Amino acid sequence: MRIHVVSIFPEMFRAIADYGVTGRAISQRLVSLKLWDPRDFATDRHRSVDDRPYGGGPGMVMMAPPLAAAIEAARKEESGRVRVVYMSPQGDRLDHLAVQRFAGMESVILLAGRYEGVDERLLARHVDEECSIGDYVLSGGELAVMVWIDAVTRQLPGTLGNAESADQDSFAGGLLDCGHYTRPDVYAGIPVPEVLRSGDHGAIRRWRLKQALGRTWRKHPELLEKIELNDEQLELLAEYQREHELEKGR
Ligand code: ADE
């Protein structure tokens, strides 16, 4: 996947380019990340990218021409159609389904805004969709772009050490993830669940599935309404619910 990012703070992206799963995906060339600084496309002596809003009011607005020039320069490096995504709290929510849809794209241009916003005409002419990471306002789109890149990259084949890990993430089957344990065997008086030390892979798989179902039911029951459970899953969830009720009654 080829990712182009338009941002006035290209240095911030070292956080994902130099570390972890995203850093490895880039160095293994599973993902390319190219940064485009609108300041390099400004036409005045001060390399301006923002100006005061028409109609008055606080803050500054990002000007259309330098952003458009940066987007067009990125677009020129791509042969086919490439989607331009503007990160904004007004966009469609970036959930697991959206992440999977984006992961199917060959290339993308991500636009990070700053200041009070971006000139509306830039959005109308150059942006295909707006994408939000949640109902709160960040000081700039850079962190949102990085969240997008991290979440999408881990869905691409070959980016995770263990090929199965993305399938086992929370949300992958529409369920939350089960709990995880490592040494020591007993911590703060709490032992690791016996079944995980049994070596019985069938029993471990069922236990994990039951925990995933039970946690989803307890923490995000609305997720269960979006999926159809098979017979085994219904049985395991009922078992979990019975145990949970017993626990509550104690
Ligand atoms: N830019 C500022 N806030 C944002 C948010 N919540 N999601 C995406 N981009 C943003």
Side-chain angles (χ1 to χ4, degrees), residues 87-89 113 131-141 144:
M87 300 309 291
S88 144
C131 178
S132 166
I133 64 164
D135 288 342
Y136 41 80
V137 178
L138 304 169
S139 316

Side-chain angles (χ1 to χ4, degrees), residues 24-248:
R24 210 167 47 232
I26 292 166
S27 53
Q28 292 177 343
R29 297 179 187 277
L30 298 167
V31 171
S32 73
L33 178 63
K34 187 152 184 184
L35 291 146
W36 302 86
D37 186 347
R39 280 196 199 286
D40 296 337
F41 299 88
T43 48
D44 67 332
R45 190 155 69 79
H46 304 290
R47 308 212 309 150
S48 307
V49 290
D50 62 323
D51 209 334
R52 291 189 308 273
Y54 276 110
M60 301 289 270
V61 177
M62 292 187 88
M63 299 157 71
L67 287 177
I71 290 170
E72 286 315 314
R75 209 195 286 280
K76 274 213 184 84
E77 295 205 345
E78 297 297 330
S79 46
R81 251 197 73 69
V82 50
R83 266 186 108 62
V84 179
V85 179
Y86 171 49
M87 300 309 291
S88 144
Q90 299 185 18
D92 296 333
R93 181 66 62 83
L94 183 68
D95 59 9
H96 183 65
L97 202 66
V99 167
Q100 284 181 311
R101 175 171 63 84
F102 286 128
M105 292 179 175
E106 243 171 64
S107 61
V108 67
I109 299 173
L110 301 170
L111 173 58
R114 281 268 151 187
Y115 311 110
E116 289 306 300
V118 168
D119 191 305
E120 197 61 27
R121 296 164 296 181
L122 183 282
L123 303 182
R125 284 296 297 271
H126 294 275
V127 167
D128 298 303
E129 67 181 289
E130 295 186 41
C131 178
S132 166
I133 64 164
D135 288 342
Y136 41 80
V137 178
L138 304 169
S139 316
E142 282 77 10
L143 288 172
V145 166
M146 286 191 261
V147 166
W148 189 106
I149 294 173
D150 187 289
V152 170
T153 297
R154 59 182 292 113
Q155 296 299 323
L156 300 176
T159 55
L160 298 179
N162 173 352
E164 290 172 333
S165 321
D167 297 340
Q168 291 177 11
D169 278 351
S170 279
F171 305 112
L175 296 175
L176 300 181
D177 198 3
C178 62
H180 300 277
Y181 297 85
T182 186
R183 289 192 302 168
D185 293 354
V186 180
Y187 169 71
I190 309 166
V192 168
E194 197 54 46
V195 58
L196 296 179
R197 303 177 56 207
S198 69
D200 180 343
H201 297 295
I204 292 170
R205 186 194 66 80
R206 279 192 304 281
W207 182 86
R208 286 182 169 154
L209 180 55
K210 181 165 138 186
Q211 295 302 313
L213 287 158
R215 279 188 179 209
T216 308
W217 170 67
R218 272 195 296 128
K219 297 184 179 183
H220 282 289
E222 78 284 359
L223 292 175
L224 291 177
E225 284 159 28
K226 297 189 198 163
I227 54 173
E228 192 144 346
L229 300 182
N230 62 30
D231 288 348
E232 182 192 31
Q233 291 172 325
L234 286 169
E235 204 172 292
L236 289 171
L237 178 58
E239 230 175 75
Y240 184 100
Q241 288 167 328
R242 271 198 306 277
E243 288 164 11
H244 192 78
E245 288 306 315
L246 283 180
E247 238 171 70
K248 269 204 309 196

